[in-house]
């Protein structure tokens, strides 16, 4: 294991300790703490904390170590809170290969657990005492909610444009990656130019990550992905593979595809996606976002951490789970 990997793993272990401590330090919320810990410990990849730590080290380890660790933990808590609420909205029964909270404990308890995770997120950043971090966190939360609303309004809309889709996935995914990376620059006391560069990196990484996720919903298996395949189609989410397939069809073929989408005929939809090469086109879209993410990093001095951030972007676009 390289020295960089050891440092990041040690930092992630510290973040793990923070996640556990903020969900076990009050006997009055023991029941909801137990539910939240179950989700937090359910096998997440800790990508957002890792991004914060990578960016902080890439910028020279400036500022208090305690602040970046608390901030990294806050990004994971915010992410987990949104997942819990998403599962309630989507009526999802499986997440990361395990039963969701709404499946095991009911919608009411799951919503409260998600709310509680939001409070724990803000608890983590309280001692950081940085107004810009607080403002960015609030803006990110607003974007996450906006993304869900946009997705709700476009549910079943077969005429959604690629720019509209891109804006939705930025709000749903890119905004939180943006927070993770740009927040590290803020805590490092960096210039607006560097903060903006890491924001752009996070935004493009998030787009690549979400497009890959949307691809996997049509190409993976439930065992590999850890959630039910075809959920997007079933829930009326018109994602990039479908948008591209609809745009590539003749008028007669489009009518057939639209009918298959409305009837949630996954086999028929998949045949059109394959026929129009929409999976490869979607992969190319994700890889274009990776190149934009890498370009944003070019104003920073080269280091092992910058190379790792580049590698994370590529892996996000090409992942298989």
């Amino acid at each position: 294991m390289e020295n960089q990997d050891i440092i990041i793993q040690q930092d992630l272990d510290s973040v793990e300790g923070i996640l556990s401590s903020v969900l076990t330090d009050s006997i009055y919320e023991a029941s909801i703490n137990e539910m939240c810990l179950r989700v937090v410990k359910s096998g997440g990849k800790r990508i957002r904390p890792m991004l914060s730590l990578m960016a902080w080290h890439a910028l020279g380890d400036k500022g208090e170590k305690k602040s970046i660790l608390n901030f990294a933990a806050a990004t994971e808590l915010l992410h987990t809170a949104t997942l819990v609420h998403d599962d309630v909205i989507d009526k999802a029964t499986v997440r990361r290969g395990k039963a969701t909270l709404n499946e095991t404990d009911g919608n009411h308890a799951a919503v409260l657990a998600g709310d509680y995770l939001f409070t724990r997120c803000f608890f983590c950043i309280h001692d950081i005492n940085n107004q810009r971090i607080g403002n960015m966190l609030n803006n990110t939360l607003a974007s996450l909610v906006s993304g869900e609303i946009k997705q709700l309004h476009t549910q079943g809309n077969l005429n959604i444009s690629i720019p509209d889709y891109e804006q939705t996935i930025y709000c749903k995914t890119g905004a939180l990656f943006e927070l993770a990376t740009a927040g590290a620059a803020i805590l490092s006391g960096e210039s607006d130019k560097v903060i903006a560069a890491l924001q752009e990196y996070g935004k493009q990484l998030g787009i690549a990550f979400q497009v890959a996720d949307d691809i996997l919903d049509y190409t993976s298996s439930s065992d590999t992905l850890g959630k039910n395949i075809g959920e997007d189609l079933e829930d009326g989410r018109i994602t990039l593979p479908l948008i591209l397939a609809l745009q590539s069809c003749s008028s007669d073929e489009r009518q057939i595809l639209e009918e298959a989408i409305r009837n949630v005929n996954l086999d028929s939809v998949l045949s059109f996606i394959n026929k129009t090469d929409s999976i490869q086109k979607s992969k190319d879209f994700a890889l274009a976002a990776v190149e934009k993410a890498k370009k944003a990093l070019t104003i920073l001095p080269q280091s092992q951490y910058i190379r790792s951030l580049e590698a994370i972007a590529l892996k996000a676009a090409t992942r298989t789970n």
Side-chain angles (χ1 to χ4, degrees):
M1 183 179 286
E2 294 183 11
N3 184 53
Q4 169 205 283
D5 297 329
I6 294 172
I7 291 170
I8 294 297
Q9 188 55 57
Q10 289 173 340
D11 289 346
L12 284 173
D13 289 344
S14 297
V15 168
E16 210 65 34
I18 294 170
L19 292 172
S20 294
S21 69
V22 298
L23 292 172
T24 56
D25 60 1
S26 174
I27 60 171
Y28 300 107
E29 295 94 18
S31 176
I32 202 160
N33 276 328
E34 186 274 329
M35 283 194 296
C36 292
L37 271 174
R38 213 188 312 154
V39 182
V40 168
K41 302 291 186 181
S42 66
K45 300 181 182 75
R46 306 293 190 252
I47 294 173
R48 291 146 195 88
M50 187 184 299
L51 288 170
S52 294
L53 296 166
M54 284 284 189
W56 187 73
H57 285 300
L59 296 170
D61 300 2
K62 291 178 287 186
E64 290 187 5
K65 182 70 171 285
K66 181 181 178 183
S67 293
I68 190 63
L69 291 174
N70 280 332
F71 175 72
T75 65
E76 185 67 16
L77 289 166
L78 179 56
H79 169 58
T80 307
T82 63
L83 292 185
V84 171
H85 281 174
D86 285 353
D87 287 340
V88 174
I89 294 168
D90 299 338
K91 300 181 179 65
T93 58
V94 179
R95 165 79 66 177
R96 295 168 180 165
K98 298 179 181 178
T100 57
L101 281 186
N102 47 294
E103 178 71 8
T104 58
D105 297 77
N107 286 344
H108 192 168
V111 169
L112 291 176
D115 291 345
Y116 188 68
L117 283 164
F118 282 124
T119 71
R120 298 289 84 188
C121 165
F122 283 97
F123 178 84
C124 277
I125 69 160
H126 179 266
D127 291 339
I128 295 175
N129 195 27
N130 186 302
Q131 185 175 353
R132 194 165 182 180
I133 287 288
N135 290 341
M136 184 173 280
L137 183 62
N138 286 331
N139 290 337
T140 301
L141 185 52
S143 291
L144 291 167
V145 174
S146 174
E148 287 299 324
I149 292 172
K150 285 176 187 292
Q151 184 169 272
L152 187 63
H153 284 170
T154 58
Q155 190 170 355
N157 179 4
L158 303 184
N159 295 308
I160 183 174
S161 67
I162 290 177
D164 284 342
Y165 164 79
E166 196 169 12
Q167 178 61 23
T168 298
I169 65 173
Y170 161 70
C171 289
K172 281 172 54 66
T173 306
L176 187 44
F177 281 126
E178 193 178 81
L179 170 70
T181 51
I186 292 172
L187 292 175
S188 298
E190 290 291 344
S191 67
D192 287 346
K193 185 177 180 181
V194 171
I195 293 169
L198 282 165
Q199 277 185 291
E200 180 65 12
Y201 167 83
K203 172 185 175 180
Q204 296 299 333
L205 168 63
I207 290 171
F209 186 94
Q210 187 59 52
V211 170
D213 203 56
D214 294 342
I215 291 169
L216 288 171
D217 198 61
Y218 288 104
T219 61
S220 188
S221 66
S222 297
D223 289 341
T224 301
L225 200 54
K227 63 179 183 179
N228 295 328
I229 299 304
E231 278 188 1
D232 288 343
L233 181 65
E234 189 173 336
D235 294 336
R237 287 192 288 269
I238 311 302
T239 58
L240 190 60
L242 266 190
I243 294 170
L244 292 170
L246 286 162
Q247 290 181 351
S248 302
C249 285
S250 68
S251 58
D252 289 342
E253 288 175 328
R254 182 178 173 112
Q255 287 184 341
I256 299 170
L257 175 54
E258 287 182 355
E259 189 67 21
I261 293 169
R262 293 191 186 98
N263 292 330
V264 195
N265 186 334
L266 181 58
D267 289 339
S268 181
V269 168
L270 282 173
S271 70
F272 276 99
I273 287 175
N274 292 330
K275 180 180 179 181
T276 55
D277 203 24
S278 294
I279 294 300
Q280 186 57 53
K281 291 174 184 175
S282 297
K283 289 178 179 178
D284 292 342
F285 190 97
L287 289 172
V290 172
E291 291 306 310
K292 292 175 186 176
K294 290 166 67 175
K295 184 178 179 180
L297 296 175
T298 56
I299 73 164
L300 303 176
Q302 269 296 315
S303 69
Q304 56 185 342
Y305 296 105
I306 292 295
R307 288 190 291 274
S308 290
L309 288 171
E310 292 174 342
I312 287 171
L314 180 59
K315 186 174 181 180
T318 57
R319 63 200 175 92
T320 56
N321 59 33

